[in-house]
Amino acid sequence: MTLVMGAVAYDPKVVTIWAGFRAWFARQGLDVDFVLYSHYERQVDDLAAGRVDVAWNSPLAWVRARRMAGERLEPLAMRDTDQDLTSVVVVREDSPYKDVADLKGETVGTGAIDSPQATLLPSALLREHGLRPGEEVAVRRFDVGVGLHGDHVGGERAAARAMMSGDVAAACMVDSSHLLFVREGTLPPGGTRVIGRTRPYDHCTMTAARATPETDRFRDLLLSMDASDPDVRTLFDLEGLTAWRPARTSGYALLERAVDDEGFYDAAGAITAPGYRP
């Protein structure tokens, strides 16, 4: 039996990554193939319907898949770098803002409409500080890569540039993007400050449509991958991890609440976010 995995093609490197993993699985005696999707919503539809055996889900895709398929889903594994992330609200160093609450009456830049780390979770943080998006604070969204659930960081980068140019007072992004934007020169070293940070949350998870001997074997092989193997290390570097970890679902509670607060999906997983067209 061939185990079929779904993945979203947010970048051309996705083909290299999963072709490499497929060859590695074959050497371990497991026949794996993959299907690439242009956006997560169709991938989730196919996972919930059992048309693919496993899917490499974003955190938002996990939330929708769980609402559609319930306890039948089996979380398998996640990258070590998927655990305990935080998103930040960033301002220019020379700005007068000291705290998120100081942004009342200002405009905040976010990522794409469906980005957990740069839109949904930071919006929840704004609400925690008494700033309802669209009311006490204006939001300028940068809809780059809609449907990719924030895997394309172009929206975060555009928000960061808008903040530096003064078009918005603050920008929202995952902490790792803040560091990346400084390294690449989008943000000047020492030129920004973090004035707000979300509580920790988890990111992507490999999800099975249901537990089978093949999905159990797939999970066990993922967890056995060793970064000291040069072939594995190359793929790990491309995929942004140093080890696979057993999946956990406790890290999605913040996003579940944010999805409900935003009205992004309903309880059955139907897309209800106004203006969202992946």
Side-chain angles (χ1 to χ4, degrees):
M1 171 185 170
T2 300
L3 183 144
V4 180
M5 188 206 79
V8 169
Y10 67 91
D11 186 277
K13 71 179 181 179
V14 171
V15 176
T16 302
I17 291 167
W18 289 106
F21 280 138
R22 179 175 183 257
W24 184 89
F25 282 119
R27 293 195 293 273
Q28 316 311 312
L30 182 65
D31 188 11
V32 173
D33 205 349
F34 61 92
V35 178
L36 296 181
Y37 292 86
S38 61
H39 61 80
Y40 276 105
E41 308 308 336
R42 189 171 300 280
Q43 176 174 289
V44 171
D45 289 343
D46 283 359
L47 178 67
R51 289 187 285 267
V52 293
D53 301 303
V54 297
W56 187 210
N57 273 342
S58 75
L60 191 59
W62 162 261
V63 169
R64 181 171 182 237
R66 187 196 62 80
R67 294 182 180 203
M68 293 178 69
E71 298 303 317
R72 176 167 55 84
L73 290 184
E74 183 73 14
L76 300 177
M78 54 184 19
R79 300 169 298 186
D80 55 342
T81 49
D82 284 315
Q83 297 182 337
D84 298 319
L85 279 65
T86 60
S87 290
V88 291
V89 179
V90 179
V91 297
R92 287 169 46 154
E93 174 60 37
D94 60 0
S95 77
Y97 315 109
K98 305 299 182 184
D99 185 80
V100 172
D102 295 339
L103 295 171
K104 184 175 181 179
E106 301 291 352
T107 300
V108 175
T110 71
I113 184 174
D114 57 338
S115 173
Q117 62 266 20
T119 302
L120 293 168
L121 290 166
S123 294
L125 181 65
L126 293 175
R127 287 191 292 270
E128 288 175 14
H129 285 79
L131 303 179
R132 289 167 295 181
E135 296 186 32
E136 289 83 7
V137 64
V139 172
R140 182 178 173 190
R141 213 173 58 221
F142 292 86
D143 279 328
V144 179
V146 173
L148 302 180
H149 290 188
D151 284 355
H152 191 301
V153 301
E156 294 175 64
R157 186 177 284 111
R161 287 173 174 154
M163 181 261 298
M164 289 308 302
S165 68
D167 290 339
V168 299
C172 302
M173 62 198 74
V174 68
D175 193 29
S176 58
S177 287
H178 186 213
L179 298 175
L180 168 66
F181 297 159
V182 172
R183 287 199 304 270
E184 71 184 17
T186 297
L187 297 176
T192 61
R193 286 184 286 110
V194 172
I195 62 168
R197 185 181 299 271
T198 67
R199 293 186 295 280
Y201 59 88
D202 288 350
H203 210 255
C204 299
T205 184
M206 190 70 74
T207 310
R210 60 187 177 90
T212 67
E214 290 78 18
T215 60
D216 287 348
R217 174 71 172 146
F218 180 75
R219 176 201 61 217
D220 292 345
L221 285 172
L222 280 176
L223 297 177
S224 75
M225 285 184 172
D226 187 347
S228 66
D229 178 338
D231 292 335
V232 168
R233 181 55 185 265
T234 297
L235 298 171
F236 275 11
D237 288 346
L238 286 172
E239 184 57 21
L241 73 157
T242 60
W244 291 99
R245 300 290 185 223
R248 65 187 189 188
T249 60
S250 58
Y252 299 122
L254 279 179
L255 184 58
E256 290 272 9
R257 289 195 292 273
V259 165
D260 289 335
D261 289 344
E262 291 282 334
F264 202 91
Y265 300 131
D266 69 13
I271 300 171
T272 50
Y276 176 43
R277 298 292 182 271

